[in-house]
């Protein structure tokens, strides 16, 4: 198994642009999680899905952030418009009933 | 989810056992204790979890007190590659991370 796959690994974008982060969970895992990590705030849970349905999006910072999971093998996290304070590492993780498996993350820099 | 308290940082000599404590005095009966670690800027890595019995796997051992209000992660023979931030989390399901313990293994 290739694990949780995130793309891109690095993204540099200008303020105001739309950014889309992608995640492919491990096959057979029915939960998918999006996290954001910064030095100031640590690892924050943004949203998670169960069987492609969003269960808890209380961690999504504001309306500029949206996440979708159109099928069991793909999820996106979109920021529109992006701002410099969105610069962070974004992790995706998947799980069934046990421990989570994290992807390698996307390092986002908004200039 | 119950809150956890961990020391901010710890040092350990290479080859010695590293014992990382975690307090979770408000843990509920259905909440598991999970341990993860994060090496540099990589994604967090699952180590071990338990409910009330002690657990051991190829990476570590987890000792949970009888009242379940605290636990200890034991790395039996720490190596330089075990230098990382270690997170203790108690949860029924969704995982919310605290600040963790920064473990530095020294030669």
């Amino acid at each position: 198994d290739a694990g949780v796959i995130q793309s891109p690994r690095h993204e540099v974008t200008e303020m105001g642009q739309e950014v889309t982060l992608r995640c492919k969970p491990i096959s057979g895992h029915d939960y998918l999680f999006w996290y954001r990590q910064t030095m100031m705030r640590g690892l924050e849970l943004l949203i998670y899905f169960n069987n492609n349905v969003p269960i808890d999006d209380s961690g999504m910072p504001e309306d500029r952030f949206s996440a979708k999971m159109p099928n069991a093998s793909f999820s996106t996290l979109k920021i529109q418009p992006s701002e410099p304070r969105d610069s962070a590492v974004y992790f995706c993780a998947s799980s069934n009933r046990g421990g989570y498996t994290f992807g390698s993350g996307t390092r986002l820099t908004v200039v | 989810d119950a809150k956890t308290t961990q020391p901010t940082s710890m040092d350990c000599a290479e080859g010695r056992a590293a014992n990382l404590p975690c307090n979770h005095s408000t843990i509920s009966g259905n909440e598991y204790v999970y341990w993860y670690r994060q090496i540099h800027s990589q994604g967090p890595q699952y180590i071990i979890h338990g409910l009330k019995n002690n657990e051991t796997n190829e990476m570590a051992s987890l000792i949970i007190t009888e009242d379940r209000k605290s636990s200890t992660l034991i790395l039996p023979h720490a190596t330089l590659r075990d230098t990382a931030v270690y997170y203790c989390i108690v949860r029924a399901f969704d995982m919310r991370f605290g600040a963790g313990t920064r473990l530095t293994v020294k030669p």
Side-chain angles (χ1 to χ4, degrees):
Chain A
D1 195 325
V4 176
I5 300 172
Q6 292 187 245
S7 64
R9 289 297 305 274
H10 302 275
E11 176 81 35
V12 180
T13 191
E14 292 185 346
M15 182 174 63
Q17 296 297 306
E18 177 181 295
V19 176
T20 299
L21 311 181
R22 297 172 175 80
C23 176
K24 176 179 169 55
I26 290 175
S27 177
H29 282 188
D30 53 1
Y31 286 85
L32 183 139
F33 306 81
W34 282 100
Y35 287 85
R36 176 174 70 174
Q37 187 169 33
T38 61
M39 289 292 292
M40 291 293 293
R41 301 176 67 91
L43 261 169
E44 301 173 274
L45 176 62
L46 301 178
I47 184 172
Y48 75 93
F49 297 81
N50 177 220
N51 292 324
N52 313 336
V53 176
I55 303 300
D56 184 351
D57 65 354
S58 60
M60 296 285 264
E62 47 196 280
D63 292 345
R64 297 184 297 106
F65 286 69
S66 62
K68 294 182 179 179
M69 192 165 185
N71 57 61
S73 59
F74 184 65
S75 177
T76 59
L77 178 67
K78 185 177 292 186
I79 307 172
Q80 166 63 20
S82 58
E83 297 182 3
R85 60 191 167 124
D86 301 329
S87 296
V89 180
Y90 291 81
F91 289 104
C92 175
S94 70
S95 170
N96 39 31
R97 290 292 181 274
Y100 292 11
T101 301
F102 281 79
S104 299
T106 294
R107 181 174 296 277
L108 174 65
T109 303
V110 183
V111 298
Chain B
D1 285 347
K3 294 281 191 281
T4 62
T5 304
Q6 298 179 253
T8 303
S9 64
M10 293 181 64
D11 291 343
C12 177
E14 188 179 20
R16 303 297 293 270
N19 297 282
L20 291 89
C22 180
N23 287 322
H24 31 79
S25 58
T26 59
I27 191 170
S28 300
N30 64 340
E31 288 182 318
Y32 284 76
V33 180
Y34 278 78
W35 283 84
Y36 283 76
R37 73 180 182 183
Q38 189 173 25
I39 297 173
H40 194 42
S41 57
Q42 299 176 20
Q45 175 190 25
Y46 165 80
I47 301 173
I48 198 168
H49 75 282
L51 184 62
K52 52 184 177 182
N53 296 322
N54 298 336
E55 302 287 345
T56 295
N57 63 22
E58 65 278 5
M59 289 182 68
S61 295
L62 174 60
I63 309 298
I64 303 174
T65 58
E66 193 168 343
D67 64 7
R68 303 211 322 125
K69 292 185 177 182
S70 66
S71 61
T72 301
L73 178 75
I74 302 172
L75 308 178
H77 306 287
T79 71
L80 299 179
R81 288 179 294 182
D82 292 321
T83 292
V85 178
Y86 287 77
Y87 298 98
C88 167
I89 303 155
V90 293
R91 59 171 273 233
F93 185 70
D94 61 305
M95 200 91 68
R96 297 174 195 265
F97 289 75
T101 296
R102 181 172 298 278
L103 175 69
T104 302
V105 180
K106 299 186 174 181

